[in-house]
Amino acid sequence: MSQRYFEDFSPGFGKAAPRAVLASDAPWLDLNGDWAFRFSPIGLDEPDGFESPDFDDTQWDRLPVPSHWQLHGYGRPAYLNIPYPIPVDPPFVPDENQTGDYRREFQWNGSSAVLRFEGVDSCARVWLNGVELGVTRGSRLPAEFDASKALVKGRNVLAVRVHQYSSGTYLEDQDTWRISGIFRDVALLARPVGGIRDVFVRAEYSADGSGRVRFDVDADGPVEVDIPLLGVAAAPTTDTFNFERVRPWSAEDPFLYEAVLSTASERVRVRYGFRTVAITDEGVLTVNGQRIVLRGVNRHEFDPDRGRVMSPELIRRDVELMKRHNVNAVRTSHYPPHPTFLDICDELGLWVVLECDLETHAFDQTQPEPWIGNPSDDPRWREAYLDRVQRTVERDKNHPSIIIWSLGNEAGDGQNLEAMAEWVHERDPSRPVHYEADRLARYVDIYGEMYRTPAVVRRIGQGGLRPGEMFYPLTEGAGDPADDRRNRMPFIYTEFAHAMGNGPGALAEYMRLTDEFPRVQGGFVWEWIDQGLRTTDAQDREFFAYGGDFGEELHDANYICDGLMFPDRTPSPGMLEYQKVIEPVVIEPGSPGHIAIRNRYAFLDLSHLRFTHDQGELQVPRVGPGMIVEVPVPAVDGWLTVRAELAEATAWAPEGHVVAWGQVPPATPEKSPTLSEVRQAAKQSGEHLLLGPARFDRRTGTLVGLGDRQLHGPRLALWRAPTDNDRSAGQGDADYWKARGLDRLLHRTVSVEAGDDGLTVVVRSSAANSGCGYLSTYRWESDGQRVRLNVHTEPVGYWPERTFFFDEETVDADQPDEERKELLRRHSAPSLGRIGLMWQLPEEPSQVQWFGAGPGEAYPDSRQAAQIGHFHATVDELQTPYVRPQDNGTRADVRWAEIGGIRIEGDPVFNLAARRWSDRQLASARHQSDLVPEPLIYLYTDHAVQGVGSGAVGPGILPRHRLEVRAADFAFILSATA
């Protein structure tokens, strides 16, 4: 049996040479719309005549283009992170290979033209009027076919056969939904005789303010250029143009010039910017002579209703949302995006790492050794690799926003990647090359790593890498660090701070290193958006689906939902945390009576901002890039919040949009609450013990009422509904807690002692078949109006150390010795989700108010975005709707809170959470639609909670944010409100 065309090692045949996207005045025809469509669940090899113009497709279905056929009822979506959806048998694919046949009629009265597909997943064979034009692979890459010889005047018929799987599938193992079809735009573009086929704009900026531009043009004859803003008119493109003064392009000030190139038959417009990307001798990445810090995200293209089909409006919204949340950079993981995205990045200003459509991650899992048969080192795949990077670079080479080319993602190492790097360096030496899996940086210009701990990044920033040292796979290395070129290269976090579920933690620790080490230049959080597909269940309840929700036999569950944005583009708490951590302006307390303002922009002063507080506006002098000033602030009774707001509307946000904020604490320290001097005795009354306004069960010592309010508790709480990070093997907490039975504690009242000065209750809390637990002493006292609860709780029994597999260094090697030892001990110490109290209230109270950190949730390693203030919310509004339900909604540093007629005051602060379902129900739910409110409120007043970390992929909770098994003492004052 001969090899099928979709299993060939080549990138296909018949395609025209790749070129840039050009805005031309030549005629063109939009071929998007409803196409005739026929679906087959198996791989069809040879056509049955459907490509003929006379074929009758009236009985076929209709399918919109662009779209994915699985989202229209043909087959089903499937999510896989690393594994291939087919046997690892390159370049072959199974017979169970869904095939979609498309037909489209159109009218054309022109002559020469090219047929352009912006994206087809995964392989397309194309006919026009029965004439085969060719085959393309490279799903997220453009393909053009010369249609001139097949076109006729009047009626034309375009036929396309698309296969779900092909040899290209082995090069497209990206962590996303596996969905197929013609999912980007299709157009017919006239190519006039004597027209302009391609343009490469090479514009440079010099530190003295001058600029230079030249145009490499592919045309059959002479071409003239006009640059209206620079006074260039009808000049030959063979000239090099030098200007004494130009306005440079940057992500902070994205100023664009427009050039119009003309021949007798065609005019094309190209927007470009003057900017120069360079790496200094010290290994610092610069743009226009200034060091930049990438405060970025990794972005998959995603719409919860249409998959990878992106409308221009949604694309613009993504960029606007990034700008509004202080994101200044994007890595186009792991393929070139729709070209409109880059146009808007040019216009609104983002630094872009443009990535090639390449990933072979599943070869990392081959046996008996990883990477056996990886295409990256197989010469039979060389043409396909080069084709992919050429189509990437040629399409997008004119975008000033692109400052780095990336060869791809997680494709191992090998000669084909080296060949790609060599081609890019020759074609476009103006931009550096990145590829994370070149771990010894042999053929790239920027050293990138994924998910390293802050301790490792610190050592990288210090230039402490030893020759041959690697983190993945772990290799010690040896020799003098001065001999390792990586210690003289810019370092970026290719991926860091995995934003799955409740998290990520430690963003502040990561980004702080960019201030400390010049070569540590930021990077990209994984990832921009949860890729949950909007779905309804049998009860018509809407939810966001992830792996396994469509009956997939092989899937990676909710790893697809690991973004800073929820699928509907609502910012998650992680997004708000990142927004705060990466603010371009730092506002913090200065000397007494002053606030310090630090400008973290690389190019802008702060004149585009106004600084306000509750009493008016601050007068701030000019603050240039990198400068710090101190400004006097008014004396206020309480916390003073200063905001940096846009003084005028921009293209991405309205006037008054808050870019940054900071707080100054009260000059007078806050006082802890106290009872009056009088203490009341506890008295028995039937089945109750009475102490001031409080009623207790006399047998168990449980509080059952306060004044005329119902309240049941407390119960010691040590567990939380595990977060995605808690569940990970790299963090190792959820399994540890389950093995100790912390989710099913049973409580035994040891003693209840009523006395003249109060009530003392001792309770032992432990799980069935567990020898470890906690012994708690609750000491109650009252002044007649309020009650004070003093808690002492301590572990009993044997608590073994945790086990986990992520053993990379988590503690800085240059820490003081005793501090280092303590942090190392805490790293593997037994852990708890919380140390606190759980209470039950009637369901009627839905309103909560508190004074403390807010308005959103906060945990020890993700609390930068929370400010101190007085906040109100309903119990339902306290919840964060993570796609997979898990612990959420904790409010930190609470001084006091009121709910259901009960006032709780901390001594001095506590962590607050309240919800209408138990933690066990929260832990068992797969989707938000599974959560059914109970007829009561679960209220948590926690002394301490554990951080959240990023352990679903990468480092877990840093030792300083880990809650270990330990004794604790804390107190509350409770009272009934009017």
Side-chain angles (χ1 to χ4, degrees):
M1 180 178 176
S2 61
Q3 185 168 313
R4 297 173 291 193
Y5 69 88
F6 49 80
E7 295 173 321
D8 192 80
F9 285 104
S10 79
F13 62 87
K15 297 193 303 293
R19 64 188 183 121
V21 177
L22 299 174
S24 169
D25 67 352
W28 71 286
L29 182 64
D30 182 356
L31 294 178
N32 291 346
D34 286 341
W35 291 40
F37 179 74
R38 179 179 64 182
F39 175 76
S40 173
I42 62 172
L44 302 179
D45 189 359
E46 294 305 319
D48 60 355
F50 87 97
E51 73 279 12
S52 169
D54 299 327
F55 183 87
D56 183 4
D57 61 20
T58 56
Q59 300 303 308
W60 285 20
D61 298 334
R62 293 296 182 265
L63 185 72
V65 170
S67 72
H68 299 282
W69 66 61
Q70 289 89 350
L71 302 185
H72 289 265
Y74 307 96
R76 295 179 295 186
Y79 165 60
L80 289 167
N81 175 9
I82 299 174
Y84 281 120
I86 57 175
V88 183
D89 182 26
F92 305 108
V93 299
D95 295 337
E96 296 85 353
N97 184 13
Q98 295 176 12
T99 300
D101 289 331
Y102 295 76
R103 282 171 55 89
R104 173 72 149 88
E105 292 188 18
F106 62 90
Q107 298 289 319
W108 183 254
N109 294 314
S111 53
S112 299
V114 294
L115 185 64
R116 184 178 179 92
F117 295 84
E118 293 294 348
V120 185
D121 192 328
S122 77
C123 172
R125 188 175 181 183
V126 183
W127 294 265
L128 180 60
N129 296 325
V131 177
E132 184 171 7
L133 300 184
V135 170
T136 180
R137 286 181 280 278
S139 296
R140 294 92 172 178
L141 297 165
E144 283 188 346
F145 298 93
D146 187 348
S148 303
K149 294 181 180 179
L151 275 172
V152 297
K153 290 187 180 296
R155 177 180 178 267
N156 290 264
V157 178
L158 174 61
V160 184
R161 171 161 284 177
V162 178
H163 299 284
Q164 181 181 27
Y165 304 131
S166 68
S167 58
T169 302
Y170 290 98
L171 307 186
E172 296 171 8
D173 192 30
Q174 288 96 339
D175 174 13
T176 187
W177 288 102
R178 311 304 168 102
I179 42 183
S180 317
I182 304 174
F183 72 97
R184 286 187 184 160
D185 307 301
V186 185
L188 188 68
L189 310 176
R191 298 304 315 127
V193 175
I196 300 171
R197 201 195 78 83
D198 197 14
V199 178
F200 192 172
V201 183
R202 300 178 186 264
E204 302 170 2
Y205 179 76
S206 297
D208 61 4
S210 64
R212 181 175 67 173
V213 63
R214 60 188 174 92
F215 300 89
D216 294 345
V217 183
D218 181 358
D220 293 332
V223 181
E224 294 182 340
V225 62
D226 298 288
I227 312 175
L229 287 178
L230 294 173
V232 176
T237 55
T238 52
D239 291 352
T240 296
F241 302 93
N242 294 283
F243 308 99
E244 290 187 3
R245 184 68 55 184
V246 296
R247 184 172 172 180
W249 187 97
S250 73
E252 296 172 10
D253 180 24
F255 189 81
L256 293 169
Y257 291 84
E258 182 174 278
V260 180
L261 292 85
S262 306
T263 68
S265 60
E266 185 178 20
R267 289 163 56 88
V268 301
R269 295 181 298 105
V270 183
R271 295 192 308 175
Y272 71 94
F274 288 95
R275 61 109 183 88
T276 298
V277 183
I279 297 173
T280 69
D281 293 341
E282 292 74 29
V284 175
L285 175 69
T286 64
V287 177
N288 299 337
Q290 299 298 314
R291 174 184 181 261
I292 63 169
V293 174
L294 305 176
R295 303 178 176 101
V297 294
N298 287 277
R299 175 186 178 265
H300 269 293
E301 292 187 310
F302 183 72
D303 181 309
D305 301 301
R306 303 206 298 164
R308 281 190 290 279
V309 178
M310 300 286 286
S311 68
E313 296 77 16
L314 191 58
I315 292 171
R316 178 171 289 274
R317 186 179 173 199
D318 266 355
V319 179
E320 290 175 349
L321 284 168
M322 289 178 188
K323 296 286 289 186
R324 291 179 185 184
H325 288 89
N326 294 327
V327 170
N328 73 355
V330 63
R331 173 177 173 235
T332 66
S333 53
H334 300 294
Y335 42 81
H338 191 288
T340 298
F341 178 77
L342 299 171
D343 290 337
I344 299 173
C345 289
D346 292 344
E347 176 190 337
L348 301 188
L350 286 176
W351 308 118
V352 175
V353 175
L354 199 285
E355 194 145 272
C356 184
D357 187 9
L358 175 65
E359 181 167 341
T360 66
H361 200 172
F363 282 93
D364 186 21
Q365 299 183 338
T366 54
Q367 299 295 329
E369 297 176 356
W371 300 110
I372 293 174
N374 183 23
S376 295
D377 201 37
D378 185 337
R380 293 176 296 177
W381 293 92
R382 179 186 176 95
E383 183 185 358
Y385 273 62
L386 287 173
D387 172 80
R388 286 173 180 255
V389 78
Q390 289 164 6
R391 288 156 73 185
T392 297
V393 171
E394 297 295 358
R395 189 195 79 167
D396 297 329
K397 59 198 172 209
N398 293 324
H399 290 284
S401 56
I402 298 172
I403 59 170
I404 299 170
W405 298 116
S406 177
L407 302 182
N409 182 68
E410 294 174 320
D413 201 356
Q415 58 183 293
N416 295 331
L417 288 155
E418 293 186 55
M420 291 170 72
E422 181 180 2
W423 183 89
V424 175
H425 281 127
E426 181 177 348
R427 177 62 173 146
D428 182 22
S430 71
R431 296 175 174 101
V433 171
H434 162 273
Y435 176 61
E436 174 266 342
D438 179 14
R439 295 196 167 90
L440 295 178
R442 293 176 294 111
Y443 47 85
V444 296
D445 308 297
I446 291 173
Y447 175 43
E449 284 275 5
M450 296 183 180
Y451 305 112
R452 302 282 68 90
T453 65
V456 167
V457 174
R458 171 174 291 275
R459 187 156 62 83
I460 291 171
Q462 293 169 333
L465 289 172
R466 297 176 294 275
E469 177 183 1
M470 285 191 292
F471 300 106
Y472 180 73
L474 188 62
T475 308
E476 288 295 328
D480 188 347
D483 295 333
D484 195 312
R485 70 187 298 258
R486 295 173 297 174
N487 291 323
R488 301 182 298 279
M489 299 175 74
F491 174 78
I492 65 172
Y493 310 137
T494 304
E495 295 176 17
F496 80 110
H498 190 262
M500 187 174 178
N502 190 341
L507 287 168
E509 283 86 347
Y510 276 107
M511 296 310 295
R512 196 174 296 132
L513 295 168
T514 67
D515 292 333
E516 193 170 348
F517 301 104
R519 291 190 305 105
V520 176
Q521 297 191 246
F524 306 93
V525 169
W526 185 267
E527 64 175 309
W528 168 241
I529 189 170
D530 284 340
Q531 296 178 66
L533 289 170
R534 199 189 313 270
T535 313
T536 55
D537 62 17
Q539 289 75 44
D540 204 32
R541 297 176 302 185
E542 185 177 284
F543 67 95
F544 291 112
Y546 49 77
D549 286 331
F550 297 100
E552 307 102 300
E553 293 181 355
L554 184 66
H555 64 84
D556 282 314
N558 64 317
Y559 268 78
I560 194 75
C561 294
D562 49 9
L564 294 168
M565 290 283 181
F566 292 132
D568 62 0
R569 284 173 167 76
T570 299
S572 75
M575 180 76 264
L576 301 179
E577 178 78 359
Y578 195 37
Q579 176 186 15
K580 175 61 180 170
V581 167
I582 60 175
E583 288 173 337
V585 182
V586 177
I587 303 171
E588 56 192 2
S591 57
H594 291 73
I595 198 160
I597 298 172
R598 176 160 60 98
N599 182 358
R600 292 204 293 195
Y601 287 108
F603 302 95
L604 297 181
D605 64 28
L606 302 186
S607 60
H608 66 293
L609 303 174
R610 62 175 177 241
F611 292 82
T612 66
H613 54 84
D614 291 341
Q615 298 183 4
E617 189 169 338
L618 289 180
Q619 297 304 309
V620 177
R622 180 187 177 278
V623 187
M627 290 177 56
I628 302 174
V629 299
E630 286 204 352
V631 178
V633 293
V636 297
D637 183 16
W639 289 78
L640 176 71
T641 303
V642 175
R643 294 170 291 273
E645 305 171 351
L646 289 178
E648 297 179 354
T650 68
W652 47 269
E655 177 187 350
H657 168 75
V658 177
V659 171
W661 59 269
Q663 288 190 299
V664 178
T668 304
E670 298 172 283
K671 294 181 180 179
S672 295
T674 60
L675 297 180
S676 66
E677 295 295 327
V678 179
R679 293 293 182 270
Q680 294 202 339
K683 299 177 182 179
Q684 182 173 336
S685 175
E687 295 300 311
H688 295 113
L689 293 170
L690 304 180
L691 179 63
R695 300 185 308 280
F696 299 86
D697 184 298
R698 71 178 181 84
R699 289 181 298 274
T700 64
T702 301
L703 178 67
V704 296
L706 193 65
D708 61 355
R709 308 295 185 180
Q710 294 183 43
L711 178 66
H712 190 276
R715 280 286 185 256
L716 183 70
L718 305 174
W719 182 74
R720 69 184 181 199
T723 66
D724 288 314
N725 294 329
D726 293 334
R727 294 176 188 270
S728 69
Q731 197 153 296
D733 289 297
D735 289 344
Y736 183 87
W737 300 338
K738 187 174 182 63
R740 312 282 87 73
L742 301 188
D743 58 332
R744 50 185 175 85
L745 290 179
L746 300 172
H747 307 276
R748 177 174 63 86
T749 302
V750 177
S751 61
V752 178
E753 297 181 5
D756 292 340
D757 59 352
L759 177 70
T760 301
V761 182
V762 179
V763 179
R764 191 183 193 278
S765 303
S766 188
N769 199 40
S770 176
C772 63
Y774 261 70
L775 187 66
S776 304
T777 300
Y778 303 101
R779 173 66 182 165
W780 295 90
E781 54 186 358
S782 175
D783 61 3
Q785 300 298 316
R786 301 182 297 168
V787 291
R788 179 183 177 89
L789 170 60
N790 294 282
V791 182
H792 172 78
T793 187
E794 60 186 35
V796 293
Y798 172 63
W799 295 78
E801 289 192 345
R802 290 177 307 111
T803 57
F804 50 92
F805 78 83
F806 200 96
D807 57 357
E808 191 172 283
E809 57 195 278
T810 59
V811 181
D812 297 340
D814 53 2
Q815 288 265 27
D817 191 52
E818 289 303 312
E819 184 176 348
R820 176 176 167 78
K821 288 179 180 178
E822 171 62 14
L823 290 173
L824 288 172
R825 183 194 65 76
R826 291 182 63 178
H827 179 56
S828 57
S831 74
L832 300 171
R834 56 170 26 113
I835 299 176
L837 305 179
M838 190 272 286
W839 315 76
Q840 293 179 352
L841 300 171
E843 65 173 328
E844 290 82 6
S846 62
Q847 296 293 325
V848 186
Q849 62 172 314
W850 74 98
F851 185 78
E857 69 183 30
Y859 290 78
D861 55 353
S862 61
R863 70 154 330 281
Q864 303 302 311
Q867 55 185 261
I868 302 301
H870 184 190
F871 303 101
H872 299 258
T874 65
V875 169
D876 287 344
E877 288 169 345
L878 293 178
Q879 314 311 306
T880 303
Y882 294 111
V883 173
R884 178 175 180 171
Q886 55 198 273
D887 187 82
N888 71 90
T890 291
R891 269 55 180 182
D893 297 331
V894 175
R895 279 70 168 172
W896 60 261
E898 292 182 0
I899 178 174
I902 304 295
R903 180 181 174 90
I904 306 166
E905 299 173 81
D907 186 10
V909 297
F910 62 98
N911 298 279
L912 171 73
R915 56 184 62 99
R916 296 197 292 158
W917 39 74
S918 69
D919 272 9
R920 295 188 71 171
Q921 186 187 157
L922 189 61
S924 63
R926 293 190 75 248
H927 300 100
Q928 289 293 320
S929 56
D930 297 331
L931 294 171
V932 180
E934 298 184 30
L936 52 84
I937 300 294
Y938 292 88
L939 172 67
Y940 291 89
T941 57
D942 293 327
H943 168 63
V945 297
Q946 176 153 274
V948 291
S950 296
V953 175
I957 300 163
L958 298 182
R960 63 174 54 87
H961 302 307
R962 182 162 281 289
L963 179 58
E964 64 177 310
V965 173
R966 59 173 173 82
D969 292 276
F970 51 97
F972 304 100
I973 290 180
L974 286 77
S975 58
T977 61

